[in-house]
């Protein structure tokens, strides 16, 4: 089951970069994000109003914490990803830059969440960085046409997602997935709608491909990628879920090459093999067989 969840998570999360590429061809980043979250938030709030059982016992502090996690894991992370792709950074390169997240999260998990990282896991993390570096260099040297500073934007998003992961890990309150997803999506809907209206970009284009991209992002990225991220985080801990992030870069590079003819080199295939080896090493190098302390549940958007 864990293997199937991991495979589904990698594919669904990677689909977000592809969906962003599909969308930015027809509209700006804030327009896509507004229409990705606004209808979804309305539906989730309506469902929450009809079935309020999961909300019983929650304090204002619990909701505020989930709202902050939503700001970091959705608003901050997704806005940087979409904006970078809008500026011309390829979907593969954006995923590659995000690939350094596991090392950052792994380094911080021990002191902040009391989840020590074993030596074998550090070896796997280091190997994963090497694999991501191989793919990144191959992709960057192909010349995507974006300004040099555009490559720093996904890095900001990576730190935003790491912060959300660690904030969630420090929570001791069990939150139902439906509740956390509702709060996260509602928060993102408010932020992205405000940004789109302020920029005069709230009107969606009439292009059918725009709505195809929105459907793609809601089904695969929001419910699939985001939901599975928090589910695996709760079941397996920060180090494992973030090690899977090493696979996003090469998988997205393959996907982008097939759909958008983005560059795919021998180095890309080599990097994929290295990243797969890194995941195997980390998954087999647990400190102990005991499961980590369950984290507050959440869902992804």
């Amino acid at each position: 089951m864990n293997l199937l969840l991991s495979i589904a998570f990698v594919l669904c999360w990677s689909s977000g970069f592809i969906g962003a590429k599909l969308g930015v061809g027809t509209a700006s980043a804030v327009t896509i994000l507004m229409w990705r979250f606004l209808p979804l938030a309305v539906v989730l709030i309506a469902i929450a109003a009809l079935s309020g059982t999961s909300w019983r016992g929650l304090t204002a502090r619990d909701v505020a914490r989930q709202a902050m996690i939503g700001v970091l894991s959705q608003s901050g992370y997704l806005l940087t990803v979409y904006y970078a792709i809008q500026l011309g950074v390829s979907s593969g390169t954006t995923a590659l830059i995000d690939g350094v997240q596991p090392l950052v999260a792994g380094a911080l998990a021990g002191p902040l969440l009391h989840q020590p990282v074993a030596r074998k896991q550090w070896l796997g993390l280091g190997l994963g960085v090497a694999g991501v570096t191989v793919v990144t260099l191959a992709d960057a040297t192909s010349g995507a046409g974006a300004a040099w500073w555009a490559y720093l934007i996904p890095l900001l998003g990576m730190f935003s997602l790491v912060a959300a992961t660690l904030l969630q890990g420090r929570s001791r309150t069990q939150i139902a997935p439906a509740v956390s997803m509702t709060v996260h999506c509602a928060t993102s809907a408010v932020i992205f709608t405000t940004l789109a209206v302020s920029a005069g970009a709230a009107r969606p284009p009439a292009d059918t491909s725009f709505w195809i991209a929105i459907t793609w992002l809601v089904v695969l990225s929001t419910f699939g990628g985001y939901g599975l991220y928090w589910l695996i985080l709760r079941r397996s801990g920060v180090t494992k879920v973030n090690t899977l992030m090493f696979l996003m870069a090469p998988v997205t590079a393959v996907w982008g090459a097939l759909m958008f003819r983005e560059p795919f080199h021998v180095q890309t295939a080599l990097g994929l093999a290295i990243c797969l080896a890194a995941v195997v090493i980390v998954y087999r190098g647990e400190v102990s067989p005991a499961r980590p302390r369950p984290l507050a549940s959440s869902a992804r958007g």
Side-chain angles (χ1 to χ4, degrees):
M1 177 62 72
N2 287 336
L3 176 61
L4 293 178
L5 286 177
S6 298
I7 294 173
F9 167 62
V10 171
L11 292 175
C12 288
W13 190 282
S14 299
S15 74
F17 298 99
I18 303 302
K21 182 80 171 184
L22 289 171
V24 296
T26 59
S28 67
V30 291
T31 305
I32 298 169
L33 289 168
M34 171 186 170
W35 288 103
R36 173 180 173 178
F37 286 104
L38 185 57
L40 180 60
V42 171
V43 172
L44 290 176
I45 291 173
I47 294 175
L50 295 176
S51 57
T53 304
S54 299
W55 295 79
R56 294 175 183 172
L58 291 180
T59 65
R61 183 176 182 179
D62 294 331
V63 176
R65 176 185 285 268
Q66 288 302 312
M68 179 56 65
I69 292 173
V71 169
L72 293 170
S73 64
Q74 285 188 350
S75 304
Y77 175 73
L78 293 175
L79 185 60
T80 57
V81 168
Y82 281 54
Y83 186 49
I85 292 176
Q86 180 180 315
L87 290 173
V89 180
S90 70
S91 59
T93 301
T94 304
L96 296 169
I97 296 172
D98 285 336
V100 299
Q101 178 196 346
L103 183 62
V104 177
L108 296 177
L112 295 181
L113 302 183
H114 307 292
Q115 295 182 9
V117 182
R119 290 183 179 180
K120 280 189 176 181
Q121 289 181 304
W122 278 118
L123 174 61
L125 290 171
L127 191 62
V129 171
V132 170
T133 301
V134 169
V135 184
T136 301
L137 291 175
D139 195 70
T141 54
S142 66
W148 66 269
W149 52 267
Y151 292 87
L152 300 178
I153 296 176
L155 193 63
L156 297 177
M158 180 274 296
F159 281 113
S160 183
L161 184 58
V162 168
T165 303
L166 297 177
L167 180 61
Q168 177 74 2
R170 292 179 66 86
S171 174
R172 297 187 177 182
T173 304
Q174 293 290 337
I175 306 293
V179 172
S180 57
M181 174 169 273
T182 300
V183 176
H184 293 182
C185 290
T187 302
S188 295
V190 170
I191 292 175
F192 292 134
T193 300
T194 301
L195 291 174
V197 171
S198 300
R203 183 187 296 273
D207 196 329
T208 304
S209 60
F210 173 82
W211 295 108
I212 292 176
I214 294 298
T215 303
W216 173 295
L217 290 167
V218 170
V219 175
L220 293 178
S221 303
T222 300
F223 288 107
Y226 197 67
L228 289 172
Y229 179 85
W230 295 112
L231 176 61
I232 296 175
L233 176 67
R234 181 180 181 182
R235 291 166 65 105
S236 303
V238 172
T239 302
K240 283 189 174 181
V241 73
N242 282 290
T243 300
L244 289 174
M245 299 297 286
F246 279 131
L247 299 179
M248 305 307 171
V251 169
T252 303
V254 172
W255 207 334
L258 294 175
M259 286 191 65
F260 307 117
R261 296 184 179 180
E262 292 179 346
F264 186 87
H265 308 278
V266 175
Q267 295 95 319
T268 306
L270 176 61
L272 173 59
I274 295 175
C275 289
L276 285 172
V279 173
V280 172
I281 290 175
V282 172
Y283 267 65
R284 291 184 176 180
E286 288 183 288
V287 177
S288 68
R291 291 179 60 183
R293 176 178 63 83
L295 305 180
S297 179
S298 183
R300 157 108 199 209

